[in-house]
Amino acid sequence: MGDDTVDQADGTALRGDCARCFGLCCVALPFAASADFAIGKDAGQPCPNLRDDHRCGIHARLRPSGFTGCTVYDCFGAGQRVSQVTFGGRDWRTGSPEHARRMFDVFPVVRQLHELLWYLTEALALPAARPVHADLRRLLEQTERLAAGTPGELAGLDVAAHRQQVNVLLLRTSELARAGARARRRTAATPTCSAPGSRAPICGARICAGPASSPPTSPAPTCAART
């Protein structure tokens, strides 16, 4: 098995890398026929467009083929972590049915944890959130430890409870960011000797992990390797 932690320093660990994943989002997750998906399938059932090499057979034409949902989905790097770290590079196709089931059960858990890691990392980048930076780092480290758990530990994890804990702090972060934005607007409305043309960073948006079904605010991965 590879390293049991993922370096968040450059952010690459929190972006999907389809070339290092076993097509988990195309198998582990269910979807229903809708405006986002041309067909429906159950969790654990491979999408018929998934090739034997774990690449999408229609990646270049997902939208016109009725799979818009695939183009906006982001696993936040959970796919490659589960594939290469949690299960040590052992493919669900070549393992036992029990191995495949465990991998499919763990993937959605790690995906939620990686989404929380993304939000916490973004919150730490906000200067206005400096009063809670220590708490943000503490929860970031705790979430990373959880994501580095064994398949058994991850399967038994109460993700909803941990998400709620993170949400409380992210809501506080959002309040600080919006208060800072309001203060800058008041300052901008008052004549000062500051240089003309200066621009304050945009940080008034609401930051909250939300429920597991919330769409990600980060850009979806291009998955350029999956062709």
Side-chain angles (χ1 to χ4, degrees):
M1 182 176 292
D3 295 338
D4 60 358
T5 60
V6 175
D7 183 12
Q8 313 293 342
D10 61 359
T12 57
L14 301 180
R15 293 197 296 267
D17 183 353
C18 298
R20 299 180 60 227
C21 178
F22 296 140
L24 293 180
C25 65
C26 307
V27 188
L29 304 180
F31 51 75
S34 64
D36 292 324
F37 298 101
I39 61 174
K41 79 171 195 66
D42 295 330
Q45 174 187 350
C47 173
N49 297 310
L50 184 66
R51 303 188 316 212
D52 290 342
D53 61 356
H54 307 299
R55 308 298 172 89
C56 177
I58 62 168
H59 185 267
R61 57 183 192 280
L62 281 168
R63 286 183 180 273
S65 299
F67 289 87
T68 302
C70 298
T71 67
V72 298
Y73 176 78
D74 192 344
C75 76
F76 294 95
Q80 66 259 28
R81 181 172 204 155
V82 172
S83 297
Q84 303 300 331
V85 180
T86 311
F87 287 88
R90 189 180 178 192
D91 187 355
W92 58 267
R93 291 184 187 272
T94 57
S96 66
E98 174 62 18
H99 167 78
R101 185 191 64 78
R102 293 173 70 206
M103 183 174 281
F104 300 156
D105 288 346
V106 162
F107 171 67
V109 175
V110 178
R111 194 271 179 188
Q112 291 186 61
L113 291 172
H114 268 230
E115 181 183 12
L116 294 176
L117 287 171
W118 189 90
Y119 280 112
L120 289 165
T121 301
E122 288 294 300
L124 276 167
L126 294 174
R130 192 169 291 110
V132 294
H133 274 187
D135 291 330
L136 287 167
R137 291 192 189 93
R138 175 181 56 80
L139 271 182
L140 182 72
E141 293 169 0
Q142 181 183 352
T143 305
E144 171 58 35
R145 286 194 298 271
L146 292 174
T150 65
E153 290 169 340
L154 288 162
L157 180 64
D158 187 347
V159 186
H162 183 66
R163 178 180 285 272
Q164 179 58 35
Q165 183 182 5
V166 173
N167 272 350
V168 170
L169 187 56
L170 290 180
L171 287 170
R172 174 58 180 151
T173 300
S174 179
E175 292 169 356
L176 289 169
R178 286 182 290 189
R182 287 193 295 269
R184 282 192 298 276
R185 286 196 294 269
R186 287 195 298 270
T187 301
T190 303
T192 66
C193 295
S194 59
S198 62
R199 182 173 59 186
I202 299 173
C203 62
R206 181 175 184 270
I207 300 175
C208 179
S213 59
S214 296
T217 58
S218 62
T222 58
C223 298
R226 180 171 292 178
T227 55

